[in-house]
């Protein structure tokens, strides 16, 4: 499988915190986990606290946890692999979804930047959690369903 950082192949990849997972698994570990500890996971300063305030403080999606614990859960999910996980790529955005816990990670593959990490609230789901996340990404990017690549 091609890596997105190599010429001649790869993928170009929503909420504010995802990372391409299976597509660049160990490569992501180096670029996200190591660079992420220096603030590289989020492209703009303050994005982690913005996501934390939205998904933990306001919505309580992961329970009563600290920002550090939220960040650790995000890194953990980024590295987790499971045949049950669903993944899609829409342009430069990559979506990873865990149907067991409704966790979603969205990010930019090219920039290796996490846009969002959250748990879908069941009462807010219209079609299915994964489909709703893809539809939101399509809305934000202006792309169509034919531009979605499923993994």
């Amino acid at each position: 499988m091609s890596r997105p950082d190599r010429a001649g192949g790869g993928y170009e990849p929503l909420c504010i915190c995802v990372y391409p997972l299976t597509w660049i698994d160990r490569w992501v570990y180096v670029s996200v986990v190591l660079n992420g500890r220096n603030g590289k996971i989020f492209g703009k300063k303050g994005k982690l606290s913005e996501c934390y305030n939205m998904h933990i403080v306001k919505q309580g999606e992961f329970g009563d946890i600290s920002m550090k614990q939220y960040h650790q859960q995000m890194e953990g999910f980024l590295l987790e692999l499971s045949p049950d996980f669903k993944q899609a790529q829409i342009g430069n955005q990559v979506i990873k979804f865990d149907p067991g816990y409704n966790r979603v990670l969205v990010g930019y593959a090219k920039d290796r930047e996490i846009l969002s990490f959250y748990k879908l609230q069941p009462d807010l789901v219209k079609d299915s959690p994964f489909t709703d996340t893809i539809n939101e990404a399509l809305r934000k990017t202006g792309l169509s369903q034919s531009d979605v690549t499923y993994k």
Side-chain angles (χ1 to χ4, degrees):
M1 201 173 288
S2 299
R3 282 180 33 181
D5 65 336
R6 299 286 185 231
Y11 303 92
E12 290 186 311
L14 250 231
C15 223
I16 298 185
C17 319
V18 164
Y19 252 77
L21 293 318
T22 307
W23 283 309
I24 54 174
D25 53 5
R26 296 304 150 215
W27 174 67
V28 166
Y29 179 80
V30 172
S31 63
V32 174
V33 175
L34 299 182
N35 293 334
R37 297 198 188 283
N38 296 323
K40 184 74 169 126
I41 267 186
F42 289 91
K44 296 178 182 170
K45 190 173 185 173
K47 279 291 186 192
L48 178 60
S49 62
E50 187 179 310
C51 286
Y52 176 80
N53 287 329
M54 178 182 199
H55 298 296
I56 306 302
V57 177
K58 290 181 183 174
Q59 298 173 352
E61 297 168 12
F62 293 90
D64 186 20
I65 61 174
S66 69
M67 191 180 308
K68 181 178 180 179
Q69 291 168 317
Y70 174 65
H71 189 257
Q72 288 170 338
Q73 285 191 26
M74 184 187 327
E75 285 182 343
F77 183 52
L78 178 65
L79 299 175
E80 280 181 52
L81 298 174
S82 170
D84 297 331
F85 291 166
K86 296 179 179 182
Q87 296 181 57
Q89 182 155 352
I90 303 163
N92 189 38
Q93 290 188 359
V94 179
I95 299 167
K96 179 180 181 182
F97 173 65
D98 173 8
Y101 294 99
N102 281 341
R103 297 178 296 172
V104 177
L105 187 70
V106 180
Y108 290 125
K110 188 176 180 180
D111 300 330
R112 298 180 208 143
E113 178 183 334
I114 291 177
L115 296 174
S116 193
F117 175 60
Y118 59 97
K119 281 189 180 181
L120 286 169
Q121 303 300 313
D123 53 327
L124 300 177
V125 174
K126 293 178 185 173
D127 296 323
S128 77
F130 190 56
T131 302
D132 288 355
T133 304
I134 290 170
N135 290 339
E136 180 65 11
L138 290 171
R139 184 189 68 76
K140 287 183 176 184
T141 61
L143 297 173
S144 69
Q145 190 65 40
S146 63
D147 297 310
V148 179
T149 303
Y150 295 93
K151 179 70 179 150

